[in-house]
Amino acid sequence: MELSTWRKRIAGLCTALAVGLAVAACANNPRPEDLAANKHGAAPPGSPRDFAVNAGDLVYFSTDSVDLSPEAQQTVANQARWLKQYSQYTITIEGHADERGTREYNIALGAKRAQAVRNFLAQNGINAARIRTVSYGKERPVAVCNDISCWSQNRRAQTVLNSRHEARS
Amino acid sequence: MAPRQRTDLDWLQGPNLDRRRAALGLGAIALVPLAALGLSAPASAQRSADSEGGLRGTQREGTIAPIPIAIPEFFGEDRRFAAEVTGVVTADLERSGLFRPLDPASFIDRVRDLNAAPRFQDWRVVGAQALVVGRVGRAPDGRFFAEFRLYDVLSQRELVGKRFAADGNDWRRLAHRVADQAYERLTGERGYFDTQVAFIDETGPKDRRRKRLAIMDQDGANVRLLSQGGELVLTPRFSPTAQEITYLQYASEQPRVFLMNMDTGQREMVGNFPGMTFAPRFSPDGQRLVMSIGEGGASSLVEMDLRSRQSRRLTNTGAIDTGPCYSPDGRRIVFESDRDGAQQLHVMNADGSGAKRVSYGDGRYATPVWSPRGDLIAFTKQMSGSFLIGVMRPDGSGERILTEGYHNEGPTWSPNGRVILFFRESQGASGGPRLFSIDLTGYNERPVQTPSFGSDPAWGPLRS
């Protein structure tokens, strides 16, 4: 599962870059296992890091879309399996948009993206009471360049683990 | 990416310009409404827009001929103070694009007494069509005052003469009020200089931006921060009737509509909705808010009475309905919705009935704002990878683009419906938003000074 998840995430990034050269460069990247080990260190089972590395905490969207791609559905299905196993967590799904939209619309769009992940988790057996959502619109970019490779990284929904106590607010 | 002065109003060139100059010029100076000066689209422009389903006007660079006006340094015991006040009056009129203040070095007549008639021949020789003379000082009660006379040089008539006293130490408002008087008498429109602008002050790197509520005078002076940056704040909107703003603030990790009294700094969350609330705007009487609420991924519009705190739902389509704004008579609401697939502008009655799509051009339309005059709606348009600011009539006809580029967003009207402020975002990791103003005609685009990056401008009402 670890290997396949990483392949998917890297494949997603390469697709996003959408340039032949960039795709070739991605193909030469270190093997996914090395990346996971180097970047994240140990990921004790049931830890937030384990969730991020082995289930995948991020899904990406195409421009102005709230649809979960087959890859995104796979990731969210992995999230659901993980969350069933570690039922002590509640989660917050943060929906985001890229900078190529107007502010208020992007807040609404981010909310719809977070809701899409929430619905998919619920369909996969996660109790909706464990899930809250929040939209940050275009206010929390992770990539700040001005081409499509950055915009596609910012069109995302991130699933964040809370303790049951924290999420009750 | 450099700001360019552009317009699609090719009909404003040539004969129309001459007509406008003539109308604003001698003899006919007073009380000529700008609407009568060729500033609403003539039949020819309208035909071309209609036949091609959107803006197809020729974009052309151009300038308009402003009224030459003489503003000799005001007199008063404190010469430096007098010079500062004169400078603010001059800058206001110059920035409007409708006036050309003349170089004081060319002046022949030396005005030394407010009550003596100017030597009109001397002012005519230097090319002035209008003349402002003034005096400033401190009244016996210690308050600053300004007194002025406005003259039509060619008809040799005094058009207006007034005396103002300042509230507290805010002497700049004296200058703005003098400039408003001159603007009103010479154009026939209400002024807009004695106004404030709320905006978002932005500092720090793009991926960790600190955003703070701020307010300043319309010319960029007297900036005051209203929040400290601990919480994310966005989209301030002015009350038309009070020193109050409504805005979005993240509270308990959820976007929430807030109200703030700008005199006391007191703030409160509005309403008790289960999900997020955002995109607030006051009704013209200041008694109600219209805003979006999030529910199950959709965004719907609700109206809230600020006295009873009762809310009622206006839309419920499961789509993204946001960016609502009342017409100036309070009877209709324009908003953006993706109910037909992509963001478009729709107009409905204020009770939510009779919704009708009005934008049908290419691209996506957002952030509609009804002109205080009622005859136009300003918007942000996304088309072919650009973000444009434009205006259209409330029925969707007569679309005109005022400015375009990588990213322009968030128009707001001057209270007289003549000037639009918006923000323009520059590209890349070090890029950020800046405020700009532009005339309704698409001419006279100017940067507006802010201490750092600035976004989400909201123009307040005339204060006097």
Side-chain angles (χ1 to χ4, degrees):
Chain A
M1 180 165 92
E2 172 177 342
L3 184 66
S4 67
T5 307
W6 269 95
R7 276 204 185 116
K8 268 187 280 270
R9 289 186 62 182
I10 287 167
L13 280 174
C14 286
T15 313
L17 288 168
V19 204
L21 268 176
V23 172
C26 281
N28 290 331
N29 273 355
R31 292 186 308 145
E33 306 93 304
D34 301 339
L35 254 187
N38 290 341
K39 199 170 163 190
H40 297 277
S47 69
R49 184 167 293 162
D50 177 40
F51 178 72
V53 171
N54 294 321
D57 60 342
L58 278 165
V59 295
Y60 298 97
F61 296 84
S62 51
T63 300
D64 198 27
S65 169
V66 299
D67 297 333
L68 294 175
S69 65
E71 291 93 330
Q73 291 187 16
Q74 185 64 56
T75 301
V76 182
N78 292 341
Q79 291 179 2
R81 272 194 295 278
W82 195 96
L83 289 166
K84 272 185 221 165
Q85 190 176 350
Y86 302 105
S87 58
Q88 71 270 32
Y89 291 105
T90 63
I91 57 169
T92 300
I93 304 166
E94 300 177 353
H96 299 270
D98 67 25
E99 68 188 64
R100 303 307 283 154
T102 47
R103 193 176 314 288
E104 291 168 340
Y105 178 80
N106 275 359
I107 289 172
L109 183 62
K112 237 176 172 170
R113 286 176 173 161
Q115 185 72 21
V117 174
R118 177 197 172 110
N119 290 346
F120 198 88
L121 283 173
Q123 285 161 23
N124 282 266
I126 302 302
N127 184 349
R130 290 174 70 188
I131 310 170
R132 65 186 295 276
T133 61
V134 59
S135 172
Y136 286 102
K138 60 177 172 179
E139 310 305 321
R140 293 276 185 264
V142 290
V144 296
C145 69
N146 60 347
D147 59 40
I148 55 170
S149 68
C150 280
W151 303 337
S152 58
Q153 291 176 63
N154 291 332
R155 291 190 301 267
R156 68 200 192 277
Q158 183 162 18
T159 303
V160 179
L161 300 184
N162 312 307
S163 74
R164 192 169 284 281
H165 177 69
E166 281 170 0
R168 203 172 283 152
S169 62
Chain B
M1 263 321 290
R4 297 175 70 194
Q5 298 201 6
R6 292 192 131 188
T7 180
D8 57 301
L9 302 178
D10 51 357
W11 47 266
L12 199 66
Q13 315 265 340
N16 290 289
L17 261 188
D18 298 339
R19 201 169 76 218
R20 183 159 162 257
R21 269 193 91 179
L24 284 175
L26 337 174
I29 265 182
L31 302 175
V32 180
L34 290 174
L37 303 179
L39 293 175
S40 53
S44 58
Q46 186 48 42
R47 261 202 316 278
S48 99
D50 285 348
S51 60
E52 298 178 68
L55 165 86
R56 292 295 186 278
T58 314
Q59 298 267 336
R60 239 201 251 172
E61 307 257 346
T63 56
I64 49 179
I67 304 170
I69 187 169
I71 313 170
E73 188 175 304
F74 289 7
F75 36 94
E77 281 175 23
D78 184 341
R79 288 287 302 277
R80 217 187 58 166
F81 176 56
E84 283 184 302
V85 172
T86 315
V88 173
V89 174
T90 306
D92 276 349
L93 293 174
E94 193 279 327
R95 278 184 63 86
S96 76
L98 301 180
F99 299 90
R100 179 168 58 87
L102 299 171
D103 180 2
S106 69
F107 297 167
I108 304 162
D109 187 21
R110 297 287 169 218
V111 184
R112 301 188 194 287
D113 181 355
L114 211 54
N115 296 316
R119 297 211 302 265
F120 288 109
Q121 180 57 34
D122 287 354
W123 293 106
R124 195 192 300 218
V125 165
V126 302
Q129 292 184 10
L131 167 68
V132 180
V133 296
R135 186 165 76 92
V136 295
R138 275 186 188 270
D141 64 3
R143 297 164 76 193
F144 292 118
F145 73 88
E147 194 175 5
F148 77 99
R149 308 270 187 276
L150 171 71
Y151 296 98
D152 178 342
V153 171
L154 291 205
S155 73
Q156 308 197 356
R157 280 190 306 137
E158 179 181 319
L159 298 176
V160 61
K162 286 195 177 177
R163 181 186 166 102
F164 302 120
D167 290 336
N169 285 321
D170 197 354
W171 61 267
R172 295 182 68 93
R173 286 193 61 194
L174 292 175
H176 294 316
R177 293 179 72 180
V178 172
D180 277 331
Q181 287 291 318
Y183 182 98
E184 287 180 26
R185 292 301 164 140
L186 295 173
T187 68
E189 295 285 320
R190 294 299 303 275
Y192 60 87
F193 303 122
D194 186 19
T195 56
Q196 294 175 299
V197 173
F199 66 102
I200 299 294
D201 170 81
E202 299 197 19
T203 51
K206 194 169 182 177
D207 54 352
R208 292 191 305 282
R209 194 70 33 99
R210 182 163 73 149
K211 299 199 175 194
R212 295 179 290 184
L213 281 173
I215 187 166
M216 65 184 182
D217 296 349
Q218 79 26 68
D219 63 354
N222 288 329
V223 175
R224 191 154 63 92
L225 293 170
L226 301 172
S227 75
Q228 297 313 308
E231 327 83 10
L232 177 58
V233 289
L234 301 167
T235 62
R237 312 292 185 212
F238 247 100
S239 163
T241 54
Q243 275 293 93
E244 224 172 35
I245 50 172
T246 181
Y247 60 101
L248 183 158
Q249 176 180 320
Y250 278 72
S252 303
E253 290 183 30
Q254 204 61 249
R256 294 289 187 181
V257 169
F258 275 69
L259 283 172
M260 178 189 283
N261 181 307
M262 287 182 292
D263 291 331
T264 64
Q266 199 172 357
R267 59 177 79 185
E268 59 171 313
M269 200 169 93
V270 177
N272 186 23
F273 299 93
M276 66 175 177
T277 52
F278 65 110
R281 209 178 277 274
F282 282 98
S283 61
D285 63 5
Q287 302 297 328
R288 289 163 290 151
L289 288 184
V290 62
M291 59 187 156
S292 287
I293 59 169
E295 34 184 21
S299 292
S300 305
L301 299 179
V302 298
E303 181 185 67
M304 172 170 279
D305 186 299
L306 288 173
R307 284 169 299 190
S308 69
R309 298 291 161 130
Q310 295 294 305
S311 61
R312 65 168 169 173
R313 172 185 296 280
L314 302 178
T315 70
N316 187 16
T317 63
I320 292 175
D321 292 342
T322 192
C325 177
Y326 290 93
S327 60
D329 64 7
R331 292 162 68 175
R332 287 183 290 169
I333 292 171
V334 62
F335 62 101
E336 57 173 88
S337 175
D338 68 349
R339 57 182 64 177
D340 290 350
Q343 274 171 292
Q344 296 291 342
L345 304 189
H346 299 250
V347 172
M348 64 183 177
N349 297 318
D351 65 0
S353 68
K356 184 173 178 293
R357 177 173 161 186
V358 297
S359 65
Y360 283 95
D362 295 339
R364 295 157 60 181
Y365 293 77
T367 76
V369 194
W370 217 301
S371 159
R373 297 185 200 184
D375 58 344
L376 292 171
I377 289 167
F379 53 81
T380 305
K381 177 174 182 168
Q382 286 170 255
M383 192 172 68
S384 310
S386 291
F387 282 59
L388 308 79
I389 303 291
V391 295
M392 63 172 64
R393 296 201 190 92
D395 65 0
S397 68
E399 177 176 322
R400 290 192 284 115
I401 297 305
L402 305 183
T403 191
E404 62 184 280
Y406 172 72
H407 196 117
N408 301 288
E409 186 179 339
T412 180
W413 293 91
S414 62
N416 69 352
R418 172 75 212 196
V419 184
I420 287 172
L421 280 177
F422 60 96
F423 70 93
R424 168 173 294 159
E425 191 114 19
S426 53
Q427 304 184 47
S430 61
R434 301 272 187 196
L435 304 189
F436 285 82
S437 68
I438 193 164
D439 192 86
L440 178 57
T441 55
Y443 286 99
N444 197 36
E445 184 178 289
R446 308 258 184 138
V448 178
Q449 285 303 318
T450 51
S452 308
F453 288 135
S455 62
D456 292 2
W459 212 321
L462 202 57
R463 301 171 81 187
S464 51

